[in-house]
């Protein structure tokens, strides 16, 4: 039996879960002023308790709050750092390519106090597993607007923006550590999108060289992580996950060598559920002291994967990274926005259970 005592566990999941219909209905009523914030919070509390029971029921050794208090995986966080919003793209069919939201920054970035410490305390009090807190990445705002979005309203100097971002993220991670949190996942989707030719063209059109931007984002992230208290911090990469849509396609090849070797992250959650992610060859750059969580199970499609095919794919990946440094998970959350992906709760549970069963059969444990 090979037992991981610390993250990443052999069976993982990325974070968000499908919101119950009742909770979504109450959120709409709250927006219309029909119920107060206390009633909405009470409903969120109950839904999170159910989500914890789901994760424990399928056998996971970690638990998230499903991101049930958030409208999206990032807006809840960034909205507390300043006057920041995202222009929502039009909704397209699930399984198709959607546009990426664009960022609007109308004030300087300022960390005013703990954002997720309360979420962690609530979660820790309700699970015997290891609580995991997910936060967006420090480079997402810039990726979704470039220098122009930073300087249009709030900043004259882009370097000042980066200084503020680094300070805010460091303060939040320190606050989580002080609250007792041991496990944080950074959702930094930009790195996975650099392999898309259309994304590269868009970046160049706004004046950014993709290779230079990769270097910048790695340096900024390392500034955030340097000298922090002891935390297990993993990074999740994907190519978009909004209502079953995706934003980009392309291999990790263009970022792999720099990302795996220069970024001060010990384990990565990599989207690998479809041919859009390319093959496993970029994993040859993973150094011997880092681990990979293979996101092989789709949260976008209402079909349960074949276990034997998943085992074959893990075996293929092990030609580049040994089994002892691999784990398995869904490719992304089930609801990166509160609308959620187009599959029912029963399929969500079946996919999470499949992750656990797969890990047990391959590694002998979670």
């Amino acid at each position: 039996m090979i037992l991981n005592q610390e993250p990443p566990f052999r069976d993982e999941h990325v974070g968000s879960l499908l919101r119950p219909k009742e909770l979504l209905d109450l959120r709409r009523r709250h927006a219309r002023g029909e119920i107060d914030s206390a009633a909405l919070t009470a409903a969120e509390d109950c839904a999170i308790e159910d989500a914890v029971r789901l994760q424990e029921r399928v056998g996971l050794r970690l638990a998230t709050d499903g991101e049930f208090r958030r409208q999206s995986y990032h807006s809840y966080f960034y909205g507390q750092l300043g006057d920041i919003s995202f222009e929502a793209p039009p909704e397209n069919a699930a399984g198709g390519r959607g546009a990426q939201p664009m960022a609007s920054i109308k004030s300087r970035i300022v960390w005013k106090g703990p954002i997720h410490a309360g979420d962690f305390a609530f979660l820790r009090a309700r699970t015997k597993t290891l609580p995991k807190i997910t936060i967006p990445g420090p480079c997402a705002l810039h990726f979704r607007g470039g220098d122009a979005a930073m300087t249009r309203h709030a900043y004259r100097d882009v370097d000042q923006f980066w200084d503020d971002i680094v300070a805010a993220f460091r303060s939040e991670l320190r606050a989580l550590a002080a609250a007792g949190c041991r496990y944080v996942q950074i959702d930094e989707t930009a790195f996975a999108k650099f392999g898309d030719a259309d994304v590269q063209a868009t970046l160049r059109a706004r004046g950014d060289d993709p290779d230079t931007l990769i270097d910048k984002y790695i340096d900024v992230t390392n500034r955030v992580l340097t000298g922090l208290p002891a935390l297990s911090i993993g990074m999740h990469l994907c190519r978009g996950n909004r209502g079953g849509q995706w934003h980009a396609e392309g291999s990790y090849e263009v970022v792999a060598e720099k990302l795996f070797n220069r970024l001060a992250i010990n384990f990565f959650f990599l989207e690998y559920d479809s041919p859009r992610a390319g093959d496993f060859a970029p994993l040859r750059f993973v150094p011997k002291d880092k681990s990979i969580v293979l996101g092989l199970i789709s949260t976008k499609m209402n079909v349960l994967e074949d276990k034997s095919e998943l085992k074959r794919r893990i075996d293929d990946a092990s030609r580049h990274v040994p089994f002892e440094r691999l784990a398995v998970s869904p490719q992304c959350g089930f609801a990166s926005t509160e609308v959620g992906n187009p599959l029912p709760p029963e399929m969500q549970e079946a996919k999470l259970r499949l992750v656990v069963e797969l890990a047990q059969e391959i590694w002998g444990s979670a």
Side-chain angles (χ1 to χ4, degrees), residues 212-223:
T212 302
L213 206 56
I214 291 169
D215 291 336
K216 182 66 176 181
Y217 287 179
I218 290 174
D219 290 344
V220 166
T221 306
N222 284 344
R223 286 176 61 193

Side-chain angles (χ1 to χ4, degrees), residues 87-309:
E87 179 185 344
E91 294 293 339
N92 294 323
R97 184 165 186 155
Q100 180 167 261
M102 297 303 292
S104 174
I105 299 94
K106 294 185 177 179
S107 73
R108 285 191 60 171
I109 306 295
V110 179
W111 187 81
K112 304 176 182 69
I115 297 173
H116 289 304
D119 297 333
F120 167 75
F122 184 89
L123 186 59
R124 179 172 60 176
R126 286 158 178 82
T127 183
K128 296 178 181 179
T129 65
L130 183 65
K132 176 163 86 168
I133 297 296
T134 62
I135 66 173
C139 302
L141 287 177
H142 186 274
F143 188 75
R144 295 182 177 196
D147 290 356
M150 311 306 112
T151 58
R152 185 170 293 121
H153 303 288
Y155 289 94
R156 293 183 179 178
D157 184 345
V158 177
D159 287 339
Q160 187 179 56
F161 161 77
W162 286 123
D163 288 344
D164 287 352
I165 278 285
V166 169
F169 272 80
R170 286 179 63 79
S171 294
E172 178 63 15
L173 289 168
R174 283 197 186 106
L176 280 168
C181 182
R182 291 172 45 210
Y183 189 8
V184 174
Q185 175 186 296
I186 296 175
D187 294 312
E188 187 61 89
T189 64
F191 287 116
K193 297 176 182 178
F194 279 106
D196 186 293
D198 290 344
V199 170
Q200 291 177 13
T202 298
L203 294 173
R204 290 191 177 98
R206 76 185 193 193
D208 279 315
D209 173 69
D211 287 338
T212 302
L213 206 56
I214 291 169
D215 291 336
K216 182 66 176 181
Y217 287 179
I218 290 174
D219 290 344
V220 166
T221 306
N222 284 344
R223 286 176 61 193
V224 168
L225 299 173
T226 300
L228 288 175
L231 282 170
S232 292
I233 300 178
M235 177 174 284
H236 169 241
L237 284 68
C238 83
R239 295 159 182 79
N241 186 61
R242 181 184 176 88
Q245 300 172 31
W246 48 276
H247 300 150
E249 59 186 340
S251 168
Y252 295 101
E253 188 73 24
V254 297
V255 299
E257 186 170 12
K258 291 180 178 179
L259 188 73
F260 297 143
N261 289 279
R262 285 183 44 203
L263 193 65
I265 290 284
N266 290 328
F267 55 100
F268 296 86
F269 296 79
L270 300 184
E271 178 185 57
Y272 263 122
D273 66 315
S274 81
R276 287 192 303 275
D279 61 23
F280 294 125
L283 299 184
R284 70 190 185 278
F285 293 114
V286 177
K288 294 181 179 180
D289 60 342
K290 296 189 178 184
S291 301
I292 298 295
V293 182
L294 298 169
L296 300 176
I297 295 170
S298 176
T299 64
K300 293 183 173 70
M301 306 304 292
N302 186 24
V303 177
L304 191 64
E305 286 78 1
D306 178 74
K307 192 183 295 183
S308 62
E309 174 62 14

Side-chain angles (χ1 to χ4, degrees), residues 304-317:
L304 191 64
E305 286 78 1
D306 178 74
K307 192 183 295 183
S308 62
E309 174 62 14
L310 295 173
K311 289 180 178 179
R312 184 194 66 77
R313 296 200 68 204
I314 293 171
D315 187 61
D316 287 346

